[in-house]
Amino acid sequence: MSDENTKNVFVIGLDEANLPTLNAVPGAKSLNLHPLLSVEELQDGEVSVPEILDKAQAVLDAFDGSVDAIVGYWDFPVSTLIPILAERYGTRSTSLESVVKCEHKYWSRLEQQKVTDRHPRFGRVDLDTDDPKPPEGVRFPMWVKPALSYSSELAFGVKDMDEFRDAVAQIREGISRIGRPFEYILGQVELPPEMDGVGGEVCLAEEAMTGIQVAVEGYVHQGEVTVYGALDSIQYPDSPCFLRHQYPSTLPPPVIRELHDVTERVMRQIGFESATFSVEYFYDPKTQEINLLEINPRHSQSHAELFQFVDGVPNHHCMFSLALGEDPRMPHGEGSYATAAKWYHRWFTDGVVTRVPSAEDIERIERETAGVRLDVVPKQGQRLSELTQQDSYSYELAHIFTGGSSEENLREKYDHCVAALGLAFDDVPRRGDGSTSGGPAGDR
């Protein structure tokens, strides 16, 4: 129960790592946050959407109070559960159709090409044939991936037919884990003729993009598209895996303006409303062209600390405000730091974790170094190859958030934290072949 000034907000997949920034939004004291389903229930094994919906409804129906908002910040199925539950309980959300148009990478490309040519050549790959081939007109190097995935899972950069066939074989084996549950979601929306017979277990190939990777974050409120931030995504050298996301972007203002323009056109075409999104791009400094990589129809929880460090408010503020029918109006430059980054401390071979820092160790590191927050991924004794939601090339060991006066200052804090964490492993045979074809991997 709560008084009339307090809002009950149900957070699908509420987790410990996000609590500090969730509780740091303006007006947090007037929000009662309630967990709705665990991360394990949502993302481990093959998901049954009807079962998850039944569990969520049981919790909401048993709640003795008003259900004022339902939010979440994970990929499928969370992104699609929100509009389904919003319709059933009268809360605010974008439509299920608009989410599916973003989540289904093939449908998303079909929508994008109606309003912009800023995207790579793409096409479907036939998984049923014994001799799969790249789509006509799509050239190597390319990325081969399911139409739907978690954190670049089963996404492969390939440079020739041998790598293409190997990638298709791995996708064919693993695509049903997410593709099959997505069939249920596709059955809930009216599909256009160009999506007839496409389904959820679809493989997509698209030409690899080059240049600097950048993401824009924004929201739609009462039909108006607002882009409130652009972040650079820097990869490990000779690797497709993210090293860090850095805010604000260092790209020239004319490029940022073009990113805003393309984003606004695409999100209007998709029919997005009353929700946050992020759109990932590549910018090629040689040709000065941008290429749209993908649209994420969810809130970017992994960037919350960056906006808090630089702008003074975590971007969770946008998610809560929109769900409660308010315009977020994010501040700019009102934080303690000029720049901020989320770093991915990764390991590129398999191994068993023999030492992780204690909660007390992490608190001490954060206390001794201003503008730092740490989130360690594996547990002691865990084999890295058993971690869930990892990309095809590496394992995430820790997320290190840093705020600083300059890029050099951010790197100094990151290097200090990596050393201070003291993670240790027993090596086991190498995972895969360590291929490093260009492209994205790893944002969660």
Side-chain angles (χ1 to χ4, degrees), residues 141-314:
M142 67 181 68
W143 276 82
V144 187
K145 54 193 174 185
L148 190 84
S149 68
Y150 294 135
S151 307
S152 300
E153 183 179 313
L154 292 178
F156 299 94
V158 301
K159 61 181 182 292
D160 56 36
M161 279 302 297
D162 287 341
E163 290 186 359
F164 175 83
R165 291 190 187 99
D166 181 58
V168 170
Q170 293 186 62
I171 291 169
R172 185 186 286 134
E173 183 179 345
I175 195 170
S176 64
R177 185 175 91 82
I178 302 172
R180 191 177 296 137
F182 200 61
E183 297 281 0
Y184 172 86
I185 297 297
L186 288 173
Q188 309 301 305
V189 299
E190 187 174 342
L191 298 173
E194 60 262 38
M195 284 293 290
D196 283 350
V198 174
E201 297 186 51
V202 183
C203 182
L204 186 69
E206 48 193 38
E207 289 185 7
M209 293 168 271
T210 58
I212 300 165
Q213 196 166 345
V214 58
V216 299
E217 283 196 27
Y219 61 85
V220 186
H221 178 64
Q222 296 181 352
E224 183 178 344
V225 181
T226 297
V227 176
Y228 59 79
L231 307 90
D232 295 331
S233 299
I234 294 94
Q235 296 161 341
Y236 277 81
D238 302 317
S239 168
C241 305
F242 288 142
L243 170 62
R244 70 182 184 275
H245 302 299
Q246 186 169 321
Y247 176 68
S249 171
T250 57
L251 292 180
V255 178
I256 300 294
R257 285 195 293 270
E258 186 178 5
L259 293 172
H260 284 215
D261 176 64
V262 174
T263 300
E264 288 172 23
R265 279 188 278 141
V266 169
M267 298 317 291
R268 284 198 187 96
Q269 171 64 29
I270 282 167
F272 217 70
E273 175 58 54
S274 301
T276 59
F277 62 81
S278 68
V279 186
E280 298 177 44
Y281 293 90
F282 274 91
Y283 167 65
D284 190 334
K286 295 178 182 176
T287 62
Q288 297 190 332
E289 288 187 352
I290 66 168
N291 259 313
L292 197 158
L293 174 61
E294 66 181 21
I295 305 169
N296 298 306
R298 60 168 172 81
H299 177 61
S300 295
Q301 50 88 16
S302 65
H303 300 156
E305 285 86 354
L306 310 191
F307 286 94
Q308 185 176 17
F309 281 147
V310 175
D311 295 331
V313 171

Side-chain angles (χ1 to χ4, degrees), residues 16 20 355-376 416-417 420-421:
E16 199 74 30
R355 184 186 182 281
V356 297
S358 66
E360 291 75 20
D361 291 332
I362 292 173
E363 288 175 7
R364 175 182 51 78
I365 298 168
E366 292 177 340
R367 188 172 59 250
E368 292 174 352
T369 309
V372 161
R373 193 172 155 250
L374 308 172
D375 175 28
V376 175
H416 169 74
C417 289
L421 284 171

Side-chain angles (χ1 to χ4, degrees), residues 344-346 377-378 387 389-390 394-399 442 444:
Y344 293 86
H345 178 31
R346 298 181 186 272
V377 178
L387 291 170
Q389 301 156 55
Q390 301 299 302
S394 71
Y395 308 99
E396 294 176 12
L397 304 182
H399 305 143
R444 293 207 293 181

Side-chain angles (χ1 to χ4, degrees), residues 10-14 35-61 70-72 74-86 88-89 148 150 177-178 180-182 184-185 389:
F10 285 82
V11 184
I12 305 177
L14 180 63
L36 185 60
L37 304 172
S38 68
V39 176
E40 291 71 29
E41 287 176 301
L42 292 161
Q43 296 185 345
D44 286 356
E46 185 170 318
V47 173
S48 170
V49 176
E51 284 183 18
I52 288 176
L53 278 171
D54 287 344
K55 285 183 181 179
Q57 284 189 215
V59 173
L60 294 169
D61 290 345
I70 302 170
V71 300
W74 302 108
D75 289 320
F76 179 81
V78 175
S79 54
T80 52
L81 293 176
I82 293 169
I84 293 173
L85 292 170
R88 294 181 184 181
Y89 290 89
L148 190 84
Y150 294 135
R177 185 175 91 82
I178 302 172
R180 191 177 296 137
F182 200 61
Y184 172 86
I185 297 297
Q389 301 156 55

